[in-house]
Amino acid sequence: MKTIRPEDYRHILFFTGAGMSAESGVPTYRGAGGVWRSYRWEEYACQDAFDADPEKVLRFHELRRKSVLACQPHAGHEAVARLEGEHPQVTVVTQNIDGMHQRAGSRRVLELHGSLWRLRCPQHGIREDIGEAYRRYRCEDCGNWLRPDITWFGDMLDSFVMGQAAQAIRSCDLFVSIGTSGVVWPAAGFPQAARDGGARCIEINPEANEMSSLYHESIRGTAGEVLPGLFSS
Ligand code: OAD
C-alpha cells in the first residue's frame, strides 16, 4: 500500500461513518447486523417516535450507550488522533454519535449527527450525560422530557456544526473518507464538495458504493487495517 506524506498537505480532513467504529464492535446501520436491520428507525429514531413514546426511545438509546461503552477505540482511531498531534491542521467530520474519536484522543471533531452522550431540553438546552443509563429522563428545571441530542430521520442538521464542516471541507487539501455508505444527505455531498474545492479525495472502505467513483483513490480495506500504516513522512 502506498503511504501518504502528511507534510505534503496543509489541511487533512477525515470524514467518517459507522464503518470507522465497526472494528471496535459498534454495529453499522445498513450492512449485515446493521442497527436498522433489527430496529425500525420509525419507532426509535425520529421526533414522531419520541413524541409518541419518549421512554421507549430513551431506553433504546440507553441500550446503544451500554453497547458503545463496552467497546474501545481501535488502532485506526488512534492513528487519526496521533496525526492531529503531529500535523498543524487535522479535522475529523463524523456522522458517528458514539464519541470514539474523542475517546481515542482526537480534539477537533465535528459531530454532524450529534452525540449519544448529550440530551437536550426544549427550554433549557444541552446536558452532557455520560454513562450507561441516563441520569434523568426529564429536565430537573422544568420537567420536560429530555431528548437525545442526535440528528434523527427528518431532523435538520445543526446549522452551526454544518457551517463549520462546510468550511473545513472547502479548505482541506486531503479528504479521507472512512466507512460510510454515502447515502445520507447532506453528508453524502461532502466528497464532491471536497473534490470541487481541489482536495485529493481518498476512500477507505472494504466495499464500493455509489459514491466510490468520486474519489481519486479507493483503498479496499478496513479502517483498522489501513489507517495505522497510511501516513509516513
Ligand atoms: P452505514 O451503515 O450506512 O455504512 C457503513 C459503511 O461502512 C459501509 O459502506 C461499509 O461497507 C463500511 N464498513 C464496514 N466495516 C468497515 C470497516 N471495518 N472499515 C471501513 N469501512 C467499513 O453507515 P453510515 O454511512 O455512517 O445516522 O450511515 C450514515 C448515517 O445513517 C448514520 O450516521 C446514522 C444512519 O441513519 C444517525 O443515526 C443520525
Side-chain angles (χ1 to χ4, degrees):
M1 188 178 68
K2 241 176 30 194
T3 57
I4 295 171
R5 282 164 40 94
E7 60 270 39
D8 290 347
Y9 297 92
R10 209 177 9 82
H11 182 183
I12 300 173
L13 188 140
F14 295 96
F15 172 53
T16 66
M20 179 75 215
S21 295
E23 287 152 290
S24 291
V26 181
T28 60
Y29 291 95
R30 295 179 179 75
V35 175
W36 305 142
R37 297 260 177 121
S38 316
Y39 295 93
R40 294 181 63 238
W41 63 259
E42 294 88 340
E43 281 181 54
Y44 298 100
C46 62
Q47 186 66 44
D48 284 350
F50 186 71
D51 292 342
D53 192 342
E55 271 193 81
K56 176 176 162 177
V57 170
L58 286 162
R59 278 198 304 272
F60 165 74
H61 286 84
E62 282 181 332
L63 280 180
R64 299 216 57 207
R65 283 157 65 98
K66 190 173 177 191
S67 73
V68 167
L69 283 179
C71 299
Q72 300 303 323
H74 60 69
H77 292 109
E78 282 158 16
V80 169
R82 200 163 44 247
L83 193 66
E84 186 179 339
E86 295 165 1
H87 189 275
Q89 204 176 3
V90 171
T91 305
V92 176
V93 176
T94 189
Q95 297 167 87
N96 298 344
I97 57 175
D98 58 24
M100 282 292 176
H101 285 295
Q102 293 91 330
R103 275 169 70 188
S106 287
R107 288 288 155 258
R108 181 157 168 71
V109 183
L110 300 173
E111 294 178 312
L112 285 176
H113 292 166
S115 171
L116 267 175
W117 314 111
R118 292 193 302 268
L119 286 164
R120 66 172 191 257
C121 166
Q123 264 181 275
H124 295 96
I126 302 291
R127 309 289 152 94
E128 192 177 72
D129 184 321
I130 298 167
E132 288 188 3
Y134 289 115
R135 276 197 296 274
R136 51 179 61 84
Y137 280 8
R138 286 178 180 272
C139 175
E140 67 269 44
D141 296 320
C142 63
N144 271 313
W145 288 101
L146 293 167
R147 74 153 264 184
D149 186 35
I150 290 171
T151 309
W152 284 331
F153 288 89
D155 289 345
M156 301 286 285
L157 260 68
D158 181 300
S159 58
F160 179 72
V161 176
M162 186 61 195
Q164 285 192 313
Q167 195 179 10
I169 286 158
R170 272 197 302 275
S171 87
C172 75
D173 52 357
L174 178 64
F175 178 91
V176 185
S177 159
I178 310 157
T180 178
S181 57
V183 296
V184 173
W185 286 84
F190 288 178
Q192 184 68 59
R195 207 178 157 130
D196 292 347
R200 181 178 173 206
C201 295
I202 296 174
E203 172 192 36
I204 301 171
N205 195 315
E207 289 172 30
N209 57 50
E210 292 163 26
M211 296 289 164
S212 294
S213 59
L214 290 176
Y215 293 91
H216 296 106
E217 193 181 336
S218 291
I219 303 173
R220 295 279 162 247
T222 70
E225 287 164 3
V226 174
L227 282 165
L230 188 61
F231 294 94
S232 169
S233 296

